[in-house]
Amino acid sequence: MTAGLGLQYALLCIASIVLTPAIMITVAGGSDAYLSWAVFAALVISGLTTAIQARRVGRIGAGYILVMGSTAAFLAVSVSALEQGGPGMLAALIIASSLIQFVLAARMALLRKIFTPAVAGTVLMLIPVTLAPIILEKLAEVPAGASPAVAPVTAGVTLLVTLLLPLRFSGALRLWSPAIGILAGCLIGGLGFGIYEMSSVAEAAWIGLPELAYPGVDLRFRPEFWALLPSFVMVTLVGAMDTLGDSIAIQRVSWRRPRAIDFRSIQGAIAADGLGNLLSGLAGTVPNTTYGMSVSVSELTGVAARRIGLSVGIIFIGLAFLPKFVSAILAIPGPVVAAYLVVILSLIFVFGMKILLQEGLDHRMGLVVGVAFWIGTAFQLDWIYPEYFQGAWEELLGNGMTVGGFTVILLTLFMEATGGRPARLKTRLTAETWPEIDAFLTKFAERRRWGEQMELRLRTVGEETLRILTRGEGLDPVAETEVGRRLLLIVRPDGDAADLEFLATTDETNVEDQLAMLSEAAASLPVEAETPLRLLRHYASSIRHQQYHDIDILTIRVEPVQRSGG
């Protein structure tokens, strides 16, 4: 069963892992030797990082099935890097941008205000805009002398099959629709028009290694490197957000009963993603990221054992040593690849929309995202004063993902800076500090001129949260010292409501999980241990507990009585 499911996971993702470097290198005019090496390295690194995601090595890896593979998100910027600086500069850019993921994984809690769903959603929606020229080029990529109908027919068949199957069927057929669509396009192109090149497949060995065409790493850091680096960083952040979404989804699928999201697992997944990109740069191949399709397979089969992830990794590495199998994928006609890209990029666009909608778009964020998307599109298509942006500025502002992402970041930081001024309190995390916290919250409510009821709600939430965080530690001598656990309390006004953030190191118990267990318990008189949880649930409008390595963030929203119904 393990081997069968592992093979299913691998076959569903193998086309993307091979086609992504193939498209990138052929569009940029790279050599066949470099292409073979890049595909081989991509398969090996994808297998290795897939196994690490499942097994978890220290703080690297999610501990769940997260299949890793080459990502189309890097296609546009990678093609630009190859055209301007060659494979060596591409490797340097991938290595430099991968370091961002390690920083993000280690300091995810501190960077949460910049690393936002709004940034990721906007950049994801701009990826299809940047890749449109590549799709148009692949659509017309047919042998000389071929029938004029070959491109539209093969692309149309691929697109129709890939679309109609998931629209009509569910389950396995929906998952396999991209592979079936590619197969249908290849059959039409090969049998009907003879554009599927079989000679390269026939000449390839069954087992072997590619020609050593390692490009090295260009460390000259020319102006082209610095012009393209922001684009790589932006797409790397998007890849990390994709990994975050996949990590949340696989946790929900893997658990038999609902639990709070473990952000330490997400940090491990992003660190493994960074390791994969670091190895990709060192090996001279394309970056990789997690594949959401693996979540769908786990949901469909109901199997989420980590040994499946290990077997997928082994299969990927094994396929790297089968040149004939890889050659069969590389021989897929251009129009078929273009139709496949249309579907993949459409899903990327929709995924970006989902991220934005799930986070919630009020009138302010809706305005920010809308303006950022169209500014990014305009700069990508040279609609905004192209005569004024030449040289390095042309490379920096000519990428819509970079411009759109930075626009969201700057406008979001502007809203943060000009919004309600937060109040902060740094203190020790002990039961003895409650009078200090109570005075802080009372003063905050008085400064906002809130009524007695809102002040009471705010103080009660603060008291019960402190009881939960310090449960069983009131007499701990270590906690009473200056080197004990610390607490940072941030209170932000939002109209008549308040958002409280408790930043501290806590125990292994998640407050959201405790509240869920409380809800499932039979109605009875509350025991002493449950009283703070019940009071917190009564007075708070929403509670979110994010547990990271070395720090926890407990976010609680408190609203007036008339708005919360409490």
Side-chain angles (χ1 to χ4, degrees), residues 47-379:
L48 179 62
T49 50
T50 298
I52 291 174
Q53 288 283 24
R55 184 65 183 86
R56 185 184 289 179
V57 180
R59 291 188 175 184
I60 300 178
Y64 295 90
I65 303 177
L66 283 176
V67 176
M68 303 287 292
S70 307
T71 170
F74 277 91
L75 266 178
V77 292
S78 296
V79 169
S80 297
L82 283 173
E83 291 176 339
Q84 296 180 37
M89 191 177 78
L90 172 63
L93 285 164
I94 294 172
I95 292 171
S97 58
S98 72
L99 302 180
I100 299 296
Q101 290 174 290
F102 289 109
V103 174
L104 183 60
R107 296 290 182 262
M108 190 175 179
L110 300 180
L111 298 175
R112 66 192 185 281
K113 298 298 182 182
I114 298 176
F115 182 59
T116 64
V119 174
T122 303
V123 175
L124 281 171
M125 292 169 62
L126 285 167
I127 288 175
V129 178
T130 61
L131 289 179
I134 294 177
I135 295 176
L136 293 175
E137 183 174 339
K138 298 300 289 185
L139 275 174
E141 191 179 277
V142 294
S147 168
V150 61
V153 170
T154 52
V157 169
T158 304
L159 188 61
L160 283 174
V161 173
T162 306
L163 288 177
L164 295 182
L165 283 178
L167 289 177
R168 180 62 184 85
F169 300 99
S170 60
L173 276 178
R174 178 180 67 85
L175 291 175
W176 285 95
S177 58
I180 297 173
I182 291 175
L183 180 60
C186 290
L187 289 175
I188 294 296
L191 299 179
F193 297 97
I195 62 170
Y196 189 90
E197 182 57 54
M198 293 296 298
S199 59
S200 60
V201 181
E203 294 171 359
W206 282 103
I207 300 176
L209 289 169
E211 178 184 347
L212 182 60
Y214 175 62
V217 181
D218 186 351
L219 298 178
R220 290 176 291 175
F221 303 118
R222 294 174 293 174
E224 294 86 353
F225 172 90
W226 298 110
L228 285 171
L229 183 59
S231 299
F232 272 82
V233 170
M234 198 63 62
V235 181
T236 299
L237 289 176
V238 170
M241 182 61 78
D242 187 12
T243 300
L244 184 148
D246 291 340
S247 300
I248 292 174
I250 194 64
Q251 287 186 50
R252 288 174 174 167
V253 169
S254 301
W255 295 328
R256 295 182 179 179
R257 56 186 300 174
R259 291 170 50 186
I261 299 302
D262 185 356
F263 281 82
R264 292 165 296 188
S265 174
I266 295 174
Q267 288 179 280
I270 293 175
D273 205 346
L275 176 63
N277 286 337
L278 176 62
L279 294 176
S280 296
L282 293 173
T285 187
V286 298
N288 63 8
T289 190
T290 56
Y291 277 16
M293 193 174 292
S294 60
V295 180
S296 300
V297 176
S298 292
E299 187 173 15
L300 177 67
T301 61
V303 178
R306 292 192 296 176
R307 62 179 180 273
I308 302 294
L310 292 173
S311 66
V312 173
I314 294 172
I315 291 172
F316 279 162
I317 295 174
L319 291 175
F321 294 89
L322 302 178
K324 191 176 290 291
F325 179 80
V326 174
S327 297
I329 297 177
L330 293 176
I332 294 175
V336 176
V337 175
Y340 172 75
L341 277 178
V342 167
V343 177
I344 296 299
L345 295 178
S346 299
L347 293 176
I348 289 177
F349 183 86
V350 173
F351 182 63
M353 291 179 58
K354 283 183 177 180
I355 289 177
L356 294 170
L357 294 175
Q358 287 172 357
E359 184 65 16
L361 287 178
D362 57 17
H363 68 282
R364 292 174 297 183
M365 286 309 302
L367 179 62
V368 167
V369 170
V371 169
F373 176 81
W374 285 110
I375 288 179
T377 301
F379 273 96

